[in-house]
Amino acid sequence: MTAYSIQSSKDSQRAASLSEWETAVIDLFLNAAMSVGLPKSLGQIYGLLFCRDEPLAMDEIMKLLSVSKGSASQGLRSLRHLGAVKSQFLPGQRKEHFVAEIRLRKLVSGFLKEQAEPHLEKGKARLSHLQELVDATEDLNSAERGRKKMNILAGWHRQVGKLLPLVKLIVGKTERSHKR
Amino acid sequence: MTAYSIQSSKDSQRAASLSEWETAVIDLFLNAAMSVGLPKSLGQIYGLLFCRDEPLAMDEIMKLLSVSKGSASQGLRSLRHLGAVKSQFLPGQRKEHFVAEIRLRKLVSGFLKEQAEPHLEKGKARLSHLQELVDATEDLNSAERGRKKMNILAGWHRQVGKLLPLVKLIVGKTERSHKR
DNA sequence: CAGTTTGTTCATTTTTTCTTGAACAGGCAT
DNA sequence: ATGCCTGTTCAAGAAAAAATGAACAAACTG
């Protein structure tokens, strides 16, 4: 026996399908995700949760977006990792339910932390590796040129390292100044 | 008759192969390009030009990186479009020669202008389309929810729109303060 | 003008990335 | 325990993106 009788008709209608504007919002996030190099399904899932006020379970997400179990599971994992969704335990419900994080500051800082900072770290290692290679260069002209370029790269690295915290700060500040 | 005799032996040696550190730098830019969603070949080409002080012609780039004519041509076009390389006409040489733009500020603002701003523009259009869809929604609860979400999106849009110019400004400022 | 050199375009192929779904694992209830 | 409900993993398939190279165009050369 199915659990239909437990849901109010309004609820089941709510979850059953997407309204036009919701579809448009989901498409918007799909495009946004792609434009920052994230898989489409991440954008779709986030977009859906963004549209809804009530927490959704994975199987509802799968139905509404027509995505596979695998995509839903992995997508939600990534989103959680980015800090873009959080799971919320509903009393009496066994399934895990998800809601979207809608504070831009959180979204941005999560994205930067996961996507940008690792690259910066790796960059540091690369720079010192580079140092060794330049130092080991026989041709003196080439070595000199190498040193020059390395200095440029080191400068860039420093600047980008400074930029990231500033971005978080700015988004946070402007966000607050606009709230209500 | 080939034009070999015109080049000094030192020059032809210079162009003939990559030193170890150059290979490493090129690889660094390859990874950097991928991490911001640009094709690898863009990164490679930029990396090579970054390493060299002398302008390079397309056929030299092809040889040094072992990329096809098509990739080189398209890659250089994109890089020029991004403001990351400029072509330099050498007296007496028929081929077009390229040099890398190494001012971070230019690189960042070019990237933002080409990659971010178009999305922001499209976002504006999407938002007004969304407005129409929400207004046309029958279900009053859904419409109300839609309005709420739209306001959030509009706020984000405004904030990101403010952020971009600030980023350019900051990179410019810190860059100057570190020079020399 | 005919022949070269230089560079672009684009259909095809190759590579990479994303999605799918079946097998699996853990937990809850009976 | 046994069977069910949730969710994860991962090999295989599908889709998207990028690289290739041959055909083409344009501009110079003699």
Side-chain angles (χ1 to χ4, degrees), chain A residues 69-70 73-74 77 94-96:
Chain A
K69 227 178 183 202
S73 173
Q74 291 190 175
R77 181 155 65 86
R94 202 120 98 39
K95 305 178 195 171
E96 197 172 4

Side-chain angles (χ1 to χ4, degrees), chain B residues 54-96:
Chain B
E54 316 78 20
L56 294 185
M58 206 175 85
D59 57 348
E60 300 179 286
I61 294 170
M62 289 168 54
K63 273 222 196 64
L64 286 167
L65 298 176
S66 330
V67 297
S68 68
K69 227 177 181 197
S71 286
S73 173
Q74 292 190 172
L76 284 167
R77 182 155 62 87
S78 304
L79 286 171
R80 219 172 355 198
H81 203 229
L82 281 169
V85 310
K86 51 185 196 281
S87 63
Q88 183 160 315
F89 289 94
L90 259 50
Q93 300 268 147
R94 195 111 149 298
K95 306 178 196 173
E96 198 172 3

Side-chain angles (χ1 to χ4, degrees), chain A:
Chain A
M1 181 238 220
T2 60
Y4 272 16
S5 49
I6 259 179
Q7 294 187 308
S8 79
S9 67
K10 193 173 146 209
D11 276 355
S12 59
Q13 184 189 351
R14 178 265 294 164
S17 67
L18 297 170
S19 68
E20 272 195 82
W21 71 263
E22 287 176 322
T23 305
V25 169
I26 290 165
D27 188 58
L28 185 155
F29 279 105
L30 184 157
N31 278 96
M34 283 183 38
S35 82
V36 297
L38 265 32
K40 297 193 307 183
S41 61
L42 279 201
Q44 291 180 284
I45 296 170
Y46 180 84
L48 171 58
L49 292 173
F50 177 88
C51 288
R52 299 301 177 94
D53 291 328
E54 315 80 18
L56 294 185
M58 207 176 85
D59 57 349
E60 301 179 286
I61 293 170
M62 287 168 55
K63 273 222 197 63
L64 286 167
L65 297 176
S66 328
V67 297
S68 68
K69 227 178 183 202
S71 286
S73 173
Q74 291 190 175
L76 284 166
R77 181 155 65 86
S78 303
L79 286 170
R80 218 169 1 194
H81 202 229
L82 281 170
V85 311
K86 52 182 193 284
S87 64
Q88 183 159 317
F89 288 93
L90 259 49
Q93 300 266 149
R94 202 120 98 39
K95 305 178 195 171
E96 197 172 4
H97 285 65
F98 300 89
V99 296
E101 167 64 62
I102 61 168
R103 285 165 296 181
L104 183 58
R105 188 175 42 87
K106 289 272 186 178
L107 293 174
V108 169
S109 68
F111 178 79
L112 292 181
K113 194 161 104 200
E114 293 303 319
Q115 307 290 310
E117 282 176 16
H119 284 290
L120 262 200
E121 273 308 306
K122 231 176 44 186
K124 208 157 43 177
R126 275 170 179 278
L127 277 178
S128 45
H129 177 223
L130 213 50
Q131 184 66 261
E132 295 169 21
L133 290 179
V134 170
D135 288 343
T137 301
E138 301 281 309
D139 177 344
L140 292 184
N141 280 326
S142 174
E144 177 55 28
R145 183 157 46 87
R147 263 184 284 282
K148 217 169 59 188
K149 305 300 180 179
M150 270 214 48
N151 283 335
I152 295 173
L153 286 176
W156 290 4
H157 189 263
R158 233 186 4 252
Q159 289 178 53
V160 175
K162 276 188 190 161
L163 183 59
L164 292 192
L166 277 172
V167 169
K168 297 182 194 173
L169 202 68
I170 291 166
V171 174
K173 280 214 301 212
T174 60
E175 186 173 37
R176 268 193 294 287
S177 76
H178 273 293
K179 245 187 194 155
R180 182 53 11 128

